[in-house]
């Protein structure tokens, strides 16, 4: 298992996500983001605005996801 935080994934807090694959981490992050959206959490809403800006340029968004995937893959396995 590897661990990444909401902040590492472009979010706004230190909540940790633990998973075996980047896809699992990505899904956990999305669910967390939806929860924070529903709660109206201002910090997360601001982070979501930044993500929406990335989404307007497909190449930039792809590079961002690729960099996060590389970051995940470079992590050591949790003890």
């Amino acid at each position: 298992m590897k661990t990444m935080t909401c902040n590492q994934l472009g979010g706004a807090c230190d909540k940790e996500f633990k998973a075996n694959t980047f896809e699992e981490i990505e899904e956990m992050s999305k669910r967390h983001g939806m929860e924070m959206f529903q709660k109206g959490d201002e910090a997360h809403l601001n982070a979501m605005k930044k993500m929406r800006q990335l989404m307007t340029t497909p190449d930039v968004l792809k590079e961002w996801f690729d960099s996060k995937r590389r970051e995940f893959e470079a992590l050591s396995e949790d003890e």
Side-chain angles (χ1 to χ4, degrees):
M1 284 235 173
K2 297 181 179 186
T3 302
M4 291 185 85
T5 66
C6 178
N7 277 321
Q8 286 176 292
L9 295 162
C13 72
D14 292 325
K15 180 176 177 68
E16 292 185 342
F17 307 106
K18 296 181 183 293
N20 292 312
T21 68
F22 181 72
E23 290 74 21
E24 291 171 338
I25 288 261
E26 182 182 14
E27 186 57 36
M28 291 175 192
S29 176
K30 284 181 186 178
R31 280 195 308 256
H32 172 65
M34 291 304 294
E35 289 172 19
M36 295 298 102
F37 177 80
Q38 290 170 351
K39 290 181 179 180
D41 182 85
E42 192 66 33
H44 283 84
L45 292 175
N46 288 333
M48 288 175 204
K49 285 180 190 175
K50 291 177 186 174
M51 285 301 298
R52 278 196 297 276
Q53 289 173 338
L54 282 178
M55 289 180 193
T56 63
T57 310
D59 291 342
V60 173
L61 180 63
K62 181 184 181 318
E63 177 53 38
W64 185 88
F65 269 102
D66 289 347
S67 73
K68 294 302 169 181
R69 181 182 305 278
R70 287 190 302 271
E71 186 178 341
F72 175 83
E73 290 170 358
L75 292 171
S76 300
E77 293 286 330
D78 293 342
E79 295 290 318

